[in-house]
Amino acid sequence: HLHGGGYVVGSPLLAQAWAASLVAATGATVVLPDYRLAPEHPFPAALDDAAAVWQELSSAIDPARIVLSGDSAGAGLALALIARLRDAHAALPAGLVLISPWLDLTANRRTDHELARRDPMLTAGWLERSADAYGAGTALSHPGISPLLGSQAGLPPVLVQSGADDILVPDSLRLARAVDDAGGEITLSIGNRLWHDFPLQAGMLESADRAVRQAGAFVVRVTADATNAAAPVDPVR
């Protein structure tokens, strides 16, 4: 699971409560890696770090037993990593969980004034400054920075969870349409009157606990599906 923070702040500690709840729901091991942050380390440092962690994990564990996840900027990083792996014809994880994903750093978040007003967590100005720090001269339309602007073909099953009052919820809606158009499998869950990254408040908010249970069921299903698909079939006798 890749943590959020706009590529400029944050640490794995932000997702500890969510991770603990997911462990309780699934029995899985949750890895919370750190990655370098802008402005000291702009793109592609975070993506390179995420790729290095993936390489280490997938060399020791069958990728069909791994689900990649992230929240906010970390969700964008997770989708960018999936695209890098796909384009390199590398093995992909069994599934992808994206929580309140930030997927298009070029989008103008000021145009929907009502949505911007409702989100208690993020502001358009902070997102703009974070995007500029992360890009640091690289075009924000680069698909490694804004993976929503790249191809959504060939993705593993995806679960997206967001809140209706999340300033970034348009990215979740656009991703769902793009994956569906590309013939992929995606489940979109939008919580009414809920805010950015609400699932991370697991243990304190019933809606967050339900989101974790949904994510846990997704993890169990996709890893079982991938394992069963890879199992040899006994010949008919």
Side-chain angles (χ1 to χ4, degrees), residues 227-235:
T227 301
N228 291 337
V233 177
D234 290 334

Side-chain angles (χ1 to χ4, degrees), residues 10 12 19 26 32 37 51 53 85-86 96-97 114 124 142 164 192 204:
T26 63
L32 297 171
L37 300 174
V53 173
L85 295 171
R86 177 202 61 204
L96 181 61
V97 177
E114 177 59 25
H142 189 297
N192 193 32
M204 298 181 288

Side-chain angles (χ1 to χ4, degrees), residues 100 119-121 162-163 165-166 193-198 201 205:
S100 294
D119 191 336
M121 300 293 293
S162 189
D165 291 349
D166 183 350
R193 296 190 299 276
L194 291 169
W195 46 89
H196 181 74
D197 255 2
F198 78 89
Q201 294 178 279
L205 183 71

Side-chain angles (χ1 to χ4, degrees), residues 60-148:
I61 302 169
D62 181 356
R65 296 177 56 205
I66 304 174
V67 172
L68 180 61
S69 67
D71 67 273
S72 194
L77 195 56
L79 185 58
L81 175 57
I82 288 283
R84 177 185 281 195
L85 295 171
R86 177 202 61 204
D87 293 347
H89 306 289
L92 299 180
L96 181 61
V97 177
L98 304 178
I99 299 170
S100 294
W102 189 20
L103 305 177
D104 182 0
L105 277 62
T106 72
N108 184 353
R109 309 294 171 175
R110 299 177 185 271
T111 56
D112 190 336
H113 301 289
E114 177 59 25
L115 179 59
R117 183 191 65 79
R118 294 200 309 268
D119 191 336
M121 300 293 293
L122 299 177
T123 67
W126 185 82
L127 289 168
E128 291 164 0
R129 292 189 294 274
S130 298
D132 288 342
Y134 184 52
T138 301
L140 296 180
S141 58
H142 189 297
I145 295 177
S146 295
L148 189 54

Side-chain angles (χ1 to χ4, degrees), residues 79 82-83 86 92-93 96 151-158 175 179 184-185:
L79 185 58
I82 288 283
R86 177 202 61 204
L92 299 180
L96 181 61
S151 171
Q152 307 308 320
L155 302 183
V158 184
L175 178 67
V179 172
E185 177 192 330

